């Protein structure tokens, strides 16, 4: 048995996984617990404390106390950075264990979690820790007749509600800038995937993060999530998830005048011109829609293909998708794991049915998949559809390994089709003509436009959305650190 496998078994052996509040591991006040299932088997792998409003109160109060008394908010940035770096080092040290937990929780192949999710979270912690050390907290303001400056302070308690598709990665993306700025945090992970977040809290405790600086409340959205988003003790809120729930979170925050950052869904487009390497582009896009079983908000699910290369691209993409090895996340040969739950599988299958009823043509049928030895898992096949841009499968975010293919003739036609979407997260343009590629990239309405690639994430490049895809600031860029500072003007007449 490998060390990482042993560590996973030890972690999962708890009768009930407790929440982390005020530096202590505590059960929910109500004494309830819920089940967490392995999507690849459909079997229960853990029972987790089911927190509610009372537990959220405890966590927020612990965070408020830590903000006032732990010294986290007032210590020099380089001292905080040392602790955050220590946490990142522990993530790297325990990367194999975290990757296995993430695979069991979400269903994604272990190598994918090990290659991207886990190390990228650690890198994000280091990026913001280092950035905070070099960020000036005091800036003079040149105004005639006054001695004036702006001073930046941490807000206080920052609350985070994360989704189930990238639980560990998004914890890193979300809390790193808040912690680096000196805030304390309360995290509510998705009820489907709480395990790696609890392990994150375990490592934070080991790293010496002061008690109450990081708190994790596990539970359901309608109870714990709603209580957190509407809590008057929260100073800043961040929600990642669907636009429908995002609107409810924004409304709750609005009642308390709490600033909120919303990272929501998408219906990403890829525009492919006739001068591209067709085989390479088709292979890349097939990889994009099967990454994390298509459960990626920014991935390319609308393919606008120049009519001259339509048949060649579809044939190549179909060939690649047919060859994708579907299996359990722990199997070495697996390229695409299950979706996260039976609920999510039904959602995908229902969309395929609705799309066909509205006239979509299946280029690759998709549907349920069966994996030998894992018959209880939530597996689906990749699907390619074609038809009208008004089809429900071309409009709505399906959140599965499904793409909708549509032809175009002219550049302006392609841009108009892309911008019909109510979303605005991420699109890509594929062309050997860089003048054209840059022109189209700027014309597409979204937070992110990528050229000759899709799903690009680098520290220092802001990633966020507009329209139904979110508001209030993005992640990964330097501006995100400033999002977690409260500016205050200091002015003296001369």
């Amino acid at each position: 048995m490998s060390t990482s496998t042993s560590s996973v078994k030890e972690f999962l052996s708890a009768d009930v996984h407790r929440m982390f509040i005020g530096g202590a591991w505590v059960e929910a006040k109500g004494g309830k617990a819920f089940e967490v299932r392995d999507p690849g088997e459909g079997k229960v792998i853990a029972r987790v404390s089911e927190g509610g409003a009372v537990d959220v109160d405890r966590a927020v109060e612990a965070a408020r106390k830590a903000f006032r008394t732990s010294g986290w908010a007032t210590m020099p940035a380089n001292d905080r950075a040392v602790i955050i770096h220590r946490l990142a080092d522990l993530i790297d040290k325990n990367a194999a264990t975290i990757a296995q937990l993430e695979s069991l929780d979400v269903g994604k192949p272990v190598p994918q979690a090990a290659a991207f999710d886990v190390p990228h979270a650690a890198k994000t912690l280091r990026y913001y820790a280092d950035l905070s050390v070099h960020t000036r907290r005091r800036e003079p303001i040149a105004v005639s007749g006054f001695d004036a400056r702006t001073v930046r302070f941490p807000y206080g308690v920052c609350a985070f509600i994360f989704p189930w598709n990238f639980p560990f990665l998004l914890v890193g993306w979300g809390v790193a800038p808040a912690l680096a700025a000196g805030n304390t945090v309360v995290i509510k992970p998705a009820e489907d995937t709480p395990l790696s977040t609890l392990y994150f809290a375990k490592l934070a405790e080991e790293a010496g993060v002061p008690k109450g600086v990081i708190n994790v409340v596990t539970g359901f959205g309608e109870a714990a999530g709603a209580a957190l988003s509407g809590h008057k003790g929260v100073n800043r809120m961040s929600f990642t998830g669907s636009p429908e729930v995002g609107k409810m979170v924004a409304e709750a925050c609005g009642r308390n005048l709490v600033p909120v950052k919303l990272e929501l869904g998408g219906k990403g487009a890829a525009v492919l011109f006739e001068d591209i390497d067709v085989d390479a582009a088709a292979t890349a896009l097939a990889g994009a829609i099967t990454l994390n079983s298509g459960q990626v908000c920014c991935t390319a699910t609308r393919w606008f293909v120049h009519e001259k290369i339509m048949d060649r691209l579809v044939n190549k993409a179909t060939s690649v998708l047919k060859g994708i090895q579907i299996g359990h996340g722990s199997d070495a040969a697996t390229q695409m794991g299950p979706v996260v739950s039976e609920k999510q599988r039904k959602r995908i299958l229902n969309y395929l049915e609705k799309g066909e009823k509205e006239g979509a043509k299946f280029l690759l049928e998709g549907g349920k998949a069966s994996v030998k030895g894992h018959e209880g898992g939530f597996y689906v096949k990749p699907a390619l559809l074609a038809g009208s841009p008004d089809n429900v499968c071309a409009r709505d975010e399906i959140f599965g390994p499904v793409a909708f293919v549509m032809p175009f003739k002219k550049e302006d036609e392609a841009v108009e089709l892309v911008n019909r979407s109510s979303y605005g997260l991420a699109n890509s343009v594929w062309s050997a003509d860089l003048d054209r590629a840059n022109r189209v990239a700027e014309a597409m309405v979204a937070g992110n436009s990528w050229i000759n690639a899709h799903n690009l994430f680098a520290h220092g490049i802001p990633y966020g959305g507009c329209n139904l895809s979110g508001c209030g600031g993005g992640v990964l860029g330097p501006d995100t650190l400033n999002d977690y500072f409260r500016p205050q003007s200091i002015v003296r007449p001369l």
Side-chain angles (χ1 to χ4, degrees):
M1 181 187 297
S2 69
T3 302
S4 58
T5 301
S6 176
S7 298
V8 169
K9 287 188 174 182
E10 180 182 355
F11 182 75
L12 294 178
S13 67
D15 290 337
V16 175
H17 291 267
R18 299 179 177 185
M19 301 177 294
F20 189 63
I21 297 177
W25 294 95
V26 299
E27 292 186 4
K29 280 290 187 182
K32 293 183 179 180
F34 60 93
E35 296 176 340
V36 175
R37 295 178 181 271
D38 170 9
E41 297 278 4
K43 296 179 181 178
V44 176
I45 55 173
R47 295 179 71 247
V48 178
S49 292
E50 184 181 331
V54 174
D55 304 294
V56 168
D57 284 341
R58 286 198 289 169
V60 173
E61 181 52 41
R64 292 181 70 84
K65 180 180 179 182
F67 185 75
R68 295 191 308 269
T69 65
S70 71
W72 183 258
T74 55
M75 71 173 61
N78 58 311
D79 290 346
R80 265 197 310 272
V82 168
I83 298 174
I84 295 172
H85 268 271
R86 194 181 301 146
L87 174 56
D89 291 343
L90 284 171
I91 290 172
D92 286 341
K93 181 180 178 181
N94 293 274
T97 297
I98 300 167
Q100 288 186 35
L101 279 175
E102 199 76 333
S103 176
L104 285 171
D105 228 1
V106 184
K108 65 183 65 183
V110 171
Q112 290 182 14
F116 181 70
D117 301 41
V118 180
H120 210 277
K123 290 176 183 175
T124 305
L125 287 164
R126 293 190 182 98
Y127 170 74
Y128 282 111
D130 293 345
L131 186 63
S132 70
V133 172
H134 297 99
T135 296
R136 293 179 63 178
R137 302 292 184 91
R138 289 169 173 78
E139 296 282 353
I141 304 173
V143 179
S144 179
F146 297 93
D147 173 26
R149 67 186 182 276
T150 293
V151 185
R152 298 182 179 91
F153 298 100
Y155 271 91
V157 178
C158 296
F160 295 85
I161 299 177
F162 292 115
W164 44 257
N165 57 335
F166 289 92
F168 194 82
L169 175 68
L170 293 179
V171 165
W173 281 14
V175 305
L179 292 173
N183 298 281
T184 58
V185 303
V186 178
I187 303 168
K188 209 297 281 186
E191 56 267 26
D192 289 310
T193 56
L195 299 179
S196 61
T197 303
L198 291 171
Y199 202 86
F200 175 85
K202 174 181 177 293
L203 296 181
E205 182 180 30
E206 186 178 340
V209 176
K211 294 179 179 181
V213 169
I214 295 176
N215 305 274
V216 178
V217 178
T218 50
F220 291 89
E222 57 267 28
L228 186 57
S229 60
H231 204 289
K232 293 181 179 179
V234 168
N235 300 104
R236 211 172 193 316
M237 182 76 208
S238 175
F239 170 80
T240 307
S242 70
E244 294 77 17
V245 179
K247 291 175 183 178
M248 292 190 286
V249 170
E251 183 179 350
C253 290
R255 287 195 292 268
N256 296 325
L257 296 180
V258 172
V260 59
K261 179 192 293 283
L262 300 174
E263 297 291 329
L264 308 178
K267 192 68 177 176
V271 177
L272 301 109
F273 285 96
E274 72 279 8
D275 58 352
I276 61 171
D277 181 330
V278 173
D279 286 357
T283 301
L285 289 177
I289 67 162
T290 54
L291 175 68
N292 205 33
S293 302
Q295 299 165 130
V296 183
C297 54
C298 58
T299 204
T301 55
R302 294 182 296 154
W303 299 358
F304 297 104
V305 186
H306 195 279
E307 61 181 11
K308 289 183 179 179
I309 60 168
M310 183 73 162
D311 290 343
R312 282 191 293 145
L313 186 128
V314 167
N315 289 339
K316 178 62 179 179
T318 300
S319 174
V320 174
L321 291 170
K322 283 181 177 179
I324 291 290
Q325 184 68 40
I326 301 171
H328 193 277
S330 64
D331 294 343
T334 295
Q335 295 173 294
M336 188 178 86
V339 294
V340 74
S341 64
E342 180 60 21
K343 177 183 177 181
Q344 185 62 20
R345 178 163 71 171
K346 287 180 178 178
R347 171 187 170 89
I348 296 165
L349 298 178
N350 286 340
Y351 263 109
L352 294 179
E353 183 179 341
K354 287 190 290 185
E356 186 176 27
K357 285 181 179 178
E358 290 189 11
K361 175 186 176 183
F362 281 102
L363 306 175
L364 182 64
E365 188 171 355
K368 279 188 179 182
S370 179
V371 175
K372 188 176 180 180
H374 305 288
E375 285 78 10
F378 314 127
Y379 299 95
V380 295
K381 301 174 185 176
L384 283 181
L385 291 81
S388 166
D390 296 322
N391 188 281
V392 65
C393 288
R395 297 193 321 267
D396 290 4
E397 183 180 37
I398 298 172
F399 226 54
V402 180
F404 203 95
V405 187
M406 293 159 280
F408 73 90
K409 293 182 180 180
K410 297 181 179 179
E411 177 183 317
D412 58 352
E413 176 192 3
V415 171
E416 190 274 330
L417 287 167
V418 170
N419 290 341
R420 283 189 190 184
S421 177
S422 298
Y423 293 97
L425 187 51
N427 303 311
S428 59
V429 54
W430 303 67
S431 176
D433 182 343
L434 290 184
D435 287 338
R436 175 168 64 182
N438 280 289
R439 187 168 60 244
V440 172
E442 292 188 6
M444 295 187 295
V445 177
N448 310 272
S449 286
W450 297 314
I451 294 176
N452 294 332
H454 205 96
N455 293 337
L456 301 176
F457 310 100
H459 296 104
I461 301 177
Y463 168 80
C466 62
N467 300 333
L468 280 187
S469 292
C471 60
V475 293
L476 293 182
D479 288 348
T480 308
L481 181 64
N482 287 327
D483 288 343
Y484 290 99
F485 284 127
R486 171 182 62 80
Q488 183 169 330
S489 297
I490 309 297
V491 186
R492 176 178 63 87
L494 296 176

